[in-house]
Amino acid sequence: MLWPDIFHFMSLALQAIATYIEGHRLEVISMTIGLVYLWCEYRASILLWIVGIVMPLVDIVLYWQNGLYADSAMDGYYALAAVYGFIVWKWGKTVSTDKQQRPITHFPLRLLLPVGLVFLAVWAAVYVWLCYLDSTVPVCDSFVNALCIVGMWALSRKYLEQWYIWMVVDIIKTALYAYKGIPVKGSYYALSVIIAIMGYRKWRQMMVQQQYQ
């Protein structure tokens, strides 16, 4: 292949990428904001909640335009949950007596049963709601949304094990959004699986370090 052919091929590829981005602008914006969110969560930065308010607002429009009304409604919850998470991290009661942010801790075993029961109840409620909305994948959709609600709560409490929840959520959502015809968002969740694994290791290291401070 000669250089003119290579340049022509690259030009066509760039044009195709530009055309795709133009037709999926909201997806690209959502994914970009999502990457910032993941970075903030990886660093255990309180800024993740600020980004976590903005990203669902973009997704509400994205999902509504694609006819995913349940997803759109759930993102309204996520925006409100981000406000709650910011308040808890900033002003919530912590183990330490100084004015530091909430420390990273383990998920209390005593909460496994009540949280599990809440998860099942939410799963059932969201399933009924999605069936009413004629969702094409009510079981999977309701499961992952119920898991997200538990995950957001665990993240707001800064439990290390919340990363396990997001690993499961991200794996399911990768396939779910590819099936729903939102491939850019699906690729974001595929990347999120890797970030979740790295985030768990980072938070575990930070939890050990905070014990010596």
Side-chain angles (χ1 to χ4, degrees):
M1 182 179 293
L2 300 178
W3 283 110
D5 296 326
I6 295 176
F7 288 137
H8 179 66
F9 174 78
M10 291 179 62
S11 176
L12 291 176
L14 291 174
Q15 289 178 11
I17 293 173
T19 301
Y20 184 86
I21 292 176
E22 181 66 24
H24 299 78
R25 189 176 302 171
L26 270 181
E27 282 188 66
V28 175
I29 293 174
S30 176
M31 183 174 182
T32 302
I33 297 174
L35 291 175
V36 176
Y37 175 88
L38 288 175
W39 175 250
C40 291
E41 185 179 8
Y42 171 79
R43 303 289 298 176
S45 170
I46 196 171
L47 292 177
L48 78 91
W49 296 113
I50 304 299
V51 182
I53 295 172
V54 177
M55 183 170 65
L57 297 179
V58 174
D59 286 343
I60 286 174
V61 180
L62 172 64
Y63 297 147
W64 191 271
Q65 290 182 349
N66 284 272
L68 305 174
Y69 305 119
D71 297 81
S72 184
M74 287 304 301
D75 271 291
Y77 160 79
Y78 297 142
L80 294 175
V83 175
Y84 168 78
F86 178 84
I87 292 173
V88 172
W89 277 33
K90 186 67 176 178
W91 296 292
K93 181 179 179 181
T94 65
V95 177
S96 50
T97 57
D98 55 23
K99 295 183 179 180
Q100 293 180 353
Q101 294 180 9
R102 173 180 291 273
I104 300 170
T105 58
H106 283 296
F107 190 100
L109 293 178
R110 60 183 173 79
L111 294 180
L112 280 177
L113 179 58
V115 171
L117 293 175
V118 169
F119 164 75
L120 292 175
V122 173
W123 185 7
V126 175
Y127 172 77
V128 173
W129 179 48
L130 292 178
C131 287
Y132 174 76
L133 293 176
D134 294 327
S135 171
T136 56
V137 281
V139 176
C140 187
D141 222 348
S142 57
F143 175 83
V144 76
N145 276 296
L147 204 56
C148 281
I149 290 174
V150 174
M152 288 291 287
W153 172 81
L155 174 59
S156 73
R157 312 310 294 182
K158 225 168 183 177
Y159 293 141
L160 173 65
E161 290 75 18
Q162 58 94 17
W163 286 109
Y164 290 141
I165 299 175
W166 295 119
M167 289 177 199
V168 176
V169 167
D170 293 337
I171 290 173
I172 296 175
K173 281 197 171 187
T174 298
L176 198 57
Y177 283 110
Y179 173 78
K180 290 182 176 182
I182 311 180
V184 175
K185 196 68 175 177
S187 62
Y188 161 75
Y189 283 112
L191 178 61
S192 297
V193 177
I194 300 174
I195 300 298
I197 296 172
M198 296 171 59
Y200 173 81
R201 297 179 63 181
K202 175 69 174 180
W203 276 38
R204 185 174 60 182
Q205 182 183 34
M206 293 172 67
M207 188 171 66
V208 172
Q209 291 175 347
Q210 73 187 13
Q211 294 175 354
Y212 297 97
Q213 293 179 353

